[in-house]
Amino acid sequence: MIWLSPVYPSPQDDAGYDISDYQGIEPVFGALEDFDALLAAVHGRGMKLVMDLVVNHTSDEHPWFVESSSGRDSPRRDWYWWRPAREGMAGGTPGAEPTNWRSFFSGSAWQYDPATQEYYLHLFSRKQPDLNWENPQVRDAVYAMMRWWLDRGVDGFRMDVINMISKDNALPDGHVGPFGAWGDGRPYYLNGPRIHEYLQEMHREVFAGRPGRFLTVGETPGCTVEEARLYTDPARGEVDMVFQFEHVQLDQGDSRWDLRPLRLLDLKASLGRWQAGLAQTGWNSLYWNNHDQPRAVSRFGDDQAYRVRSAKALATVLHLHRGTPYVYQGEELGMTNAPFAGIDDFRDIESINHYAEATSAGQPAEQVLAALRTIGRDNARTPMQWDGTAHAGFTTGVPWIPANPNHAEINVTAQEGDPQSVLHHYRALIRLRHSEPAVVHGDFTMLLPNHEQIYAFTRRLGQVELLVLANLSSRTAMADQIPDAGGWERAEVLIANSPPPEPSQHRLSLRPWEARVYRRASGGYPRQV
Ligand code: NOJ
């Protein structure tokens, strides 16, 4: 399946996550006819296509918001969160915002509208006003739009920050802590009071009874395993799976920009808990990367000496977990973070706003830039590296952000011709998922939870058992403490990212970033290839 990030008409304040027309295509990408042709071609290859659904907010240029902001008695006024200034304070003055909530893109989450003398809520940029899901007309309009896309033939939706659509009506102030001047409103809108009711209603109104099979995946920051079980329990009719954030926040402190080294033990404990927590009920989505995260090989791997091997090791570990793996464009090449020289090289509103806020609060520019280079979203947004020509073969025009200069070496064309490439390894992993039922359905058991270098686990289905061993470090490591090490030493290796060990070597010793998947079976379980 292909998941398309938003391709709808948009002022592009937040890379298309500010939508001004839910039922069209942004002209820079083409028109609805081009979309239909794409969809038909995808279906013609036996593939499916999933759209991004961004309905926590619209663009401020969406006709709904234009009408809503046209006057306090507009019929659509209540489609958004309009509130007066704090009692006794003049609108637009510092501190008069209805709550102290911080926006994800810096500053207040409220914008004052001098014309109607009220504020509107925007959890993201001021050009992304939040829709008021309390209003049943809003929900009906969203469901109608979703049905329109399904009628057109799309195969499902990735639902942007879907666990933010239900807010606590009382709009209490948030705790002021690491956020400086602004308060943390998240307890009042993450997994809010009516979220499960809304998702169940959406399921009934949009998907239930419709012929065909659809995929729904909710993006859910701040979602616990327990919440995820509720969201993804098939019996409850909400979504198929969620994107949780725990494992991509382990290298962050109090804020997103406060970076600290990732400890492998924490990563294993976190992902292991999600595997166990959704083993009986619900389902995991699996990802290292997306358009909001830095490149996996730069963050979790070694993008210098061991770029190829560490990209393959990370892929092997992720794809052998139980759940649905997602591959973000370029991850399958081992694309790396980009060498941003200064703030002018960034395009992302989140990075640009954070830089302005942090430097004006006195943080040294170099320190802020270091965090942006490490965790900033533009790392994932440089053009896809198709070949070694100008702009990485992505466009004959001028891209909005330059291609990573390493496209000369890291690109699709080069990797197509190299059977040892990261690209071929991803293909092999995907083939393995189709040929080996234990990869999809097998139980998951984490091994060696306290090993500082090795990520090890088994998957078991009936008589078949797989062992995944990966050395996620740049030093040699031994995995001989795994249960039944002697038995595993003789097992078949299904897939590996390095040549097999010499006969004289211990088979459970792993070179830096080496990963292997072993398979053994007892009884009559047939191997399906
Ligand atoms: C999550 C999206 O993934 C991100 O790119 C976007 O900025 C916010 N939601 C707001 O839509």
Side-chain angles (χ1 to χ4, degrees), residues 118 155 210 412 441 452 504 506:
E118 283 189 324
D155 302 293
R210 181 177 273 268
V412 175
H441 301 290
E452 309 250 351
S504 60
H506 196 298

mmCIF file of all heavy atoms in Angstrom, residues 118 155 210 412 441 452 504 506:
data_model
loop_
_atom_site.group_PDB
_atom_site.id
_atom_site.type_symbol
_atom_site.label_atom_id
_atom_site.label_comp_id
_atom_site.label_asym_id
_atom_site.label_seq_id
_atom_site.Cartn_x
_atom_site.Cartn_y
_atom_site.Cartn_z
ATOM 1 N N GLU A 118 -12.589 38.036 18.914
ATOM 2 C CA GLU A 118 -12.482 36.770 19.654
ATOM 3 C C GLU A 118 -11.219 36.048 19.196
ATOM 4 O O GLU A 118 -10.639 36.393 18.160
ATOM 5 C CB GLU A 118 -13.713 35.887 19.411
ATOM 6 C CG GLU A 118 -14.932 36.330 20.197
ATOM 7 C CD GLU A 118 -16.083 35.328 20.110
ATOM 8 O OE1 GLU A 118 -16.278 34.718 19.038
ATOM 9 O OE2 GLU A 118 -16.768 35.163 21.119
ATOM 10 N N ASP A 155 -8.287 3.437 -0.670
ATOM 11 C CA ASP A 155 -8.337 2.211 0.135
ATOM 12 C C ASP A 155 -8.226 2.447 1.631
ATOM 13 O O ASP A 155 -8.042 1.499 2.393
ATOM 14 C CB ASP A 155 -7.223 1.269 -0.326
ATOM 15 C CG ASP A 155 -7.358 0.939 -1.803
ATOM 16 O OD1 ASP A 155 -8.333 0.277 -2.164
ATOM 17 O OD2 ASP A 155 -6.497 1.393 -2.602
ATOM 18 N N ARG A 210 -19.712 -1.183 4.070
ATOM 19 C CA ARG A 210 -19.250 -0.844 2.717
ATOM 20 C C ARG A 210 -18.457 -2.025 2.171
ATOM 21 O O ARG A 210 -17.558 -2.534 2.853
ATOM 22 C CB ARG A 210 -18.365 0.399 2.805
ATOM 23 C CG ARG A 210 -17.823 0.889 1.485
ATOM 24 C CD ARG A 210 -17.024 2.157 1.724
ATOM 25 N NE ARG A 210 -17.847 3.341 1.695
ATOM 26 C CZ ARG A 210 -18.079 4.073 0.600
ATOM 27 N NH1 ARG A 210 -17.540 3.744 -0.551
ATOM 28 N NH2 ARG A 210 -18.842 5.130 0.644
ATOM 29 N N VAL A 412 18.563 5.521 -6.068
ATOM 30 C CA VAL A 412 17.869 4.310 -6.516
ATOM 31 C C VAL A 412 18.649 3.624 -7.640
ATOM 32 O O VAL A 412 18.855 2.400 -7.612
ATOM 33 C CB VAL A 412 16.440 4.647 -7.001
ATOM 34 C CG1 VAL A 412 15.748 3.407 -7.574
ATOM 35 C CG2 VAL A 412 15.607 5.239 -5.865
ATOM 36 N N HIS A 441 2.241 -13.651 11.746
ATOM 37 C CA HIS A 441 1.347 -14.112 12.816
ATOM 38 C C HIS A 441 2.043 -14.605 14.068
ATOM 39 O O HIS A 441 1.385 -14.827 15.088
ATOM 40 C CB HIS A 441 0.463 -15.255 12.285
ATOM 41 C CG HIS A 441 -0.369 -14.858 11.103
ATOM 42 N ND1 HIS A 441 -1.423 -13.987 11.210
ATOM 43 C CD2 HIS A 441 -0.284 -15.190 9.786
ATOM 44 C CE1 HIS A 441 -1.961 -13.808 10.008
ATOM 45 N NE2 HIS A 441 -1.291 -14.527 9.134
ATOM 46 N N GLU A 452 23.510 -4.639 26.166
ATOM 47 C CA GLU A 452 23.660 -3.230 25.760
ATOM 48 C C GLU A 452 23.865 -3.059 24.258
ATOM 49 O O GLU A 452 23.807 -1.942 23.754
ATOM 50 C CB GLU A 452 24.869 -2.600 26.473
ATOM 51 C CG GLU A 452 24.862 -2.793 27.967
ATOM 52 C CD GLU A 452 24.595 -1.494 28.713
ATOM 53 O OE1 GLU A 452 24.596 -0.458 28.049
ATOM 54 O OE2 GLU A 452 24.371 -1.562 29.932
ATOM 55 N N SER A 504 35.335 -21.245 11.190
ATOM 56 C CA SER A 504 36.081 -21.255 12.455
ATOM 57 C C SER A 504 35.439 -20.316 13.487
ATOM 58 O O SER A 504 35.713 -20.404 14.671
ATOM 59 C CB SER A 504 37.508 -20.781 12.200
ATOM 60 O OG SER A 504 37.459 -19.466 11.687
ATOM 61 N N HIS A 506 32.549 -18.427 15.859
ATOM 62 C CA HIS A 506 31.346 -18.728 16.600
ATOM 63 C C HIS A 506 30.177 -18.111 15.831
ATOM 64 O O HIS A 506 30.212 -16.938 15.500
ATOM 65 C CB HIS A 506 31.462 -18.097 17.986
ATOM 66 C CG HIS A 506 30.485 -18.645 18.957
ATOM 67 N ND1 HIS A 506 29.126 -18.530 18.800
ATOM 68 C CD2 HIS A 506 30.678 -19.327 20.115
ATOM 69 C CE1 HIS A 506 28.529 -19.097 19.816
ATOM 70 N NE2 HIS A 506 29.439 -19.601 20.629
#
